[in-house]
Amino acid sequence: MIDLHWLSVPERITYKLATLVYRCLHDIGPSYLRSELHRSAEIDSRRRLRSGSTQALLVPRTRLATAGDRAFPVTAAKAWNHLPIYVQTSSSLEIFKKRLKTWLFEISYIKS
């Protein structure tokens, strides 16, 4: 898989999820998913905090670890917040995909 530059299954899921989040945050994703994602800078009580100046998304609280933690808003926010800032602040979708795949490839194969 390394020679073919393929991502492993968990990294491929993260790639698809992060790409969908990028599309939603830049208003090119489905509207029903866009309404589920909220930046921490949009919340009044967090604007003065350090997290208010970042690209971080709010991770909604869930009651059930089984079903709630698998919901799109939760997994999408966790995946997005885990990305490095240079990936999150990409200027276009194509640049984002390239940086994301390179970063995922590095953390899964090169650094392990």
Side-chain angles (χ1 to χ4, degrees):
M1 288 178 48
I2 293 174
D3 295 336
L4 298 173
H5 203 73
W6 286 356
L7 296 172
S8 61
V9 173
E11 281 78 18
R12 185 71 182 157
I13 292 169
T14 303
Y15 177 84
K16 291 288 193 179
L17 190 59
T19 303
L20 187 55
V21 171
Y22 183 89
R23 289 174 182 256
C24 290
L25 293 177
H26 291 85
D27 295 330
I28 51 177
S31 61
Y32 65 93
L33 293 179
R34 276 187 268 161
S35 64
E36 299 291 328
L37 301 175
H38 304 285
R39 294 185 191 262
S40 60
E42 294 173 354
I43 307 302
D44 291 332
S45 62
R46 293 194 178 209
R47 287 189 184 169
R48 294 187 198 132
L49 299 175
R50 192 177 333 151
S51 63
S53 63
T54 65
Q55 299 287 324
L57 294 176
L58 288 176
V59 180
R61 292 184 184 194
T62 59
R63 291 185 311 154
L64 300 174
T66 53
D69 288 346
R70 295 180 190 157
F72 174 75
V74 177
T75 56
K78 286 180 180 179
W80 181 260
N81 293 344
H82 186 68
L83 299 178
I85 197 73
Y86 76 93
V87 175
Q88 291 179 356
T89 57
S90 299
S91 58
S92 71
L93 182 60
E94 296 308 315
I95 293 171
F96 175 79
K97 286 180 176 181
K98 182 178 178 183
R99 288 178 179 175
L100 178 62
K101 186 169 182 185
T102 302
W103 179 73
L104 288 170
F105 188 80
E106 286 174 356
I107 64 168
S108 64
Y109 294 116
I110 296 172
K111 294 182 181 177
S112 58

